[in-house]
Amino acid sequence: MKKTIMRPAPLTGSASWPVVTPISPSVVYASETPDALDAQYEGRVNGYTYAREGHPNADVLAARIDAMEGAEGGLITGSGMAALSAVMIGKLCAGDHVLGGNQLYGRSLRMMKDDLPRMGIETSLADPTDVEAMRAAIRPETKMILVEVVSNPTLRVADMAGIAALARDAGALLVVDNTFTTPRAYRPFEHGADIVIHSVTKLLAGHSDVTLGYVAAKDPAVRSAIYVAAVTWGLTPSPFDCWLAERGLLSFDMRFERTQQNARDLADHIAGLEGVSRVLYPTRPDHPDHNRAVALLGGQGCNMVSFELAGGRAAANAFTQAATGLAFAPTLGDIGTTVSHPASSSHRALTPEGRAALGISEGFFRLSVGAEPIDALKEELSRGIEAARRA
Ligand SMILES: *Cc1c(COP(=O)(O)O)cnc(C)c1O
């Protein structure tokens, strides 16, 4: 991550300038004259007017993520869900159809199943690892396809090449939620995506202290429609949150390098422990999408590892009780390792049969691996899994 220094206007009477981006909390911006304001509104000069419509901290953060994604004109939103909302509100009309992956993030699934249909937008879900299943769900009204590259929590890898071709044939916008993969492992715009979104909350900001999103579109007209929706529906972020996320983002490369290596090592370690019935990591040879993961992720992995304890719920309770050094909390992408139990959190709304169909049992855990020393992590997992085995 290149740390460009933003030179503020020389208001302070200082010949030198700060090396950290200043926070600009101003909601409104003053102009010289009505003519100057005209020039600004007509786009002849650049200038901020009102913070909901844009402010320096959002622009600095967006420019940094743009550079990582190979995007232009990206927009920061108040959350990852706000980014998705801006896309849906900005681009869809009643009567349109959206096709989504069947293992999307929980709230995205809810938007697909409940909220969009209520607004007259039809939706369907299909398995993104099976392009023929996706093709079968395409309709003449399909305007958009929404997929995540690596699914939560079973870490299945979507057939991105097949889906990009399908979107092109159908004339549908391909929207890729790149939160899990990050531009370090996959850059969707280089593979046919029209729109990329992120929950900046997760790996990009990296410290579980800020909720933000990002959205970028290839086509300037699409970009503009998303921007107008975000500003009109109030989906834009606060300056302080953007400042905090920028601070986190500066260490993203280092964190990604370390956490994906930790995850890889930890997956192999867990696989050797008694009481574990299954380990899922995309680039492990025993993963169902191993070949695709290796090809797609350009030699990188991800920081997520899932595993199943043979002993069901009793083993699961014993595990979180014993592995006290790991936060049992349903988030991901933090600098520290967090453990989630999908059956009691992200996937609790599904029936046990629905969860079983996805491969999620009562003994199933997902780790978001952090940057701790690997030996400490191995020790923690060994202790937790041993306690689970005895339960
Ligand atoms: C967390 C998450 C979101 C939602 O982001 P928020 O910042 O929590 O609104 C969307 N997609 C994925 C894959 C996520 O993990």
Side-chain angles (χ1 to χ4, degrees):
M1 167 73 28
K2 198 168 116 211
K3 185 175 189 286
T4 44
I5 296 167
M6 202 176 85
R7 264 203 219 200
L11 288 175
T12 58
S14 165
S16 50
W17 52 89
V19 298
V20 171
T21 304
I23 303 178
S24 305
S26 192
V27 170
V28 282
Y29 291 80
S31 303
E32 195 81 50
T33 60
D35 279 355
L37 203 53
D38 274 347
Q40 207 171 298
Y41 273 119
E42 287 159 17
R44 284 179 277 126
V45 297
N46 285 328
Y48 298 106
T49 50
Y50 189 67
R52 181 164 31 74
E53 302 185 354
H55 52 73
N57 291 103
D59 286 353
V60 170
L61 179 61
R64 289 194 189 283
I65 303 177
D66 283 350
M68 295 163 75
E69 282 291 6
E72 260 179 65
L75 181 73
I76 302 299
T77 55
S79 66
M81 289 315 297
L84 188 58
S85 301
V87 169
M88 298 301 187
I89 294 167
K91 284 310 298 173
L92 297 174
C93 298
D96 288 347
H97 171 254
V98 187
L99 170 59
N102 60 354
Q103 283 196 56
L104 293 172
Y105 178 71
R107 285 280 155 186
S108 308
L109 272 183
R110 191 203 138 97
M111 192 187 280
M112 295 285 290
K113 285 180 181 165
D114 300 344
D115 299 78
L116 294 178
R118 194 161 44 74
M119 298 162 86
I121 296 160
E122 308 254 312
T123 64
S124 37
L125 302 171
D127 179 356
T129 67
D130 176 357
V131 75
E132 290 317 315
M134 295 288 283
R135 189 183 308 280
I138 292 282
R139 302 181 193 171
E141 310 77 40
T142 306
K143 292 286 161 51
M144 193 179 281
I145 299 178
L146 169 65
V147 287
E148 292 171 17
V149 185
V150 173
S151 76
N152 176 37
T154 52
L155 312 181
R156 296 299 306 265
V157 181
D159 181 352
M160 294 306 294
I163 293 169
L166 182 61
R168 208 168 43 240
D169 293 349
L173 289 170
L174 176 57
V175 183
V176 177
D177 180 337
N178 205 28
T179 301
F180 269 43
T181 15
T182 85
R184 272 297 301 273
Y186 187 72
R187 305 216 312 169
F189 286 126
E190 292 171 4
H191 303 278
D194 298 294
I195 297 173
V196 172
I197 66 166
H198 275 280
S199 171
V200 175
T201 314
K202 312 292 171 53
L203 287 95
L204 295 183
H207 295 73
S208 300
D209 53 9
V210 63
T211 307
L212 281 182
Y214 165 89
V215 51
K218 206 180 242 171
D219 177 351
V222 173
R223 200 181 293 161
S224 163
I226 293 170
Y227 170 77
V228 170
V231 170
T232 305
W233 291 70
L235 305 171
T236 48
S238 97
F240 183 68
D241 287 350
C242 294
W243 182 87
L244 206 48
E246 188 196 359
R247 190 183 197 277
L249 189 67
L250 292 171
S251 64
F252 166 73
D253 272 328
M254 262 183 338
R255 284 186 283 107
F256 184 82
E257 200 61 49
R258 168 74 168 239
T259 58
Q260 64 116 4
Q261 189 57 53
N262 272 356
R264 208 179 278 246
D265 291 352
L266 207 54
D268 293 340
H269 175 73
I270 298 169
L273 298 176
E274 227 177 298
V276 174
S277 46
R278 196 156 53 113
V279 174
L280 294 169
Y281 188 72
T283 57
R284 266 177 64 87
D286 58 0
H287 189 278
D289 302 319
H290 167 76
N291 290 339
R292 189 181 291 151
V294 169
L296 206 87
L297 304 177
Q300 304 287 338
C302 63
N303 79 312
M304 313 292 283
V305 179
S306 294
F307 64 96
E308 185 181 50
L309 297 171
R313 176 61 76 105
N317 285 332
F319 172 76
T320 57
Q321 248 168 1
T324 47
L326 310 175
F328 173 48
T331 187
L332 65 112
D334 189 83
I335 182 89
T337 301
T338 53
V339 181
S340 109
H341 181 252
S344 63
S345 58
S346 55
H347 292 68
R348 66 174 303 123
L350 300 185
T351 60
E353 297 73 37
R355 284 195 290 269
L358 296 176
I360 302 168
S361 65
E362 287 293 334
F364 193 97
F365 280 99
R366 184 204 71 191
L367 296 173
S368 169
V369 179
E372 298 94 335
I374 185 65
D375 289 342
L377 287 175
K378 286 181 180 171
E379 198 182 300
E380 201 69 47
L381 265 295
S382 296
R383 180 152 39 82
I385 290 170
E386 177 57 20
R389 196 180 63 80
R390 290 165 185 274

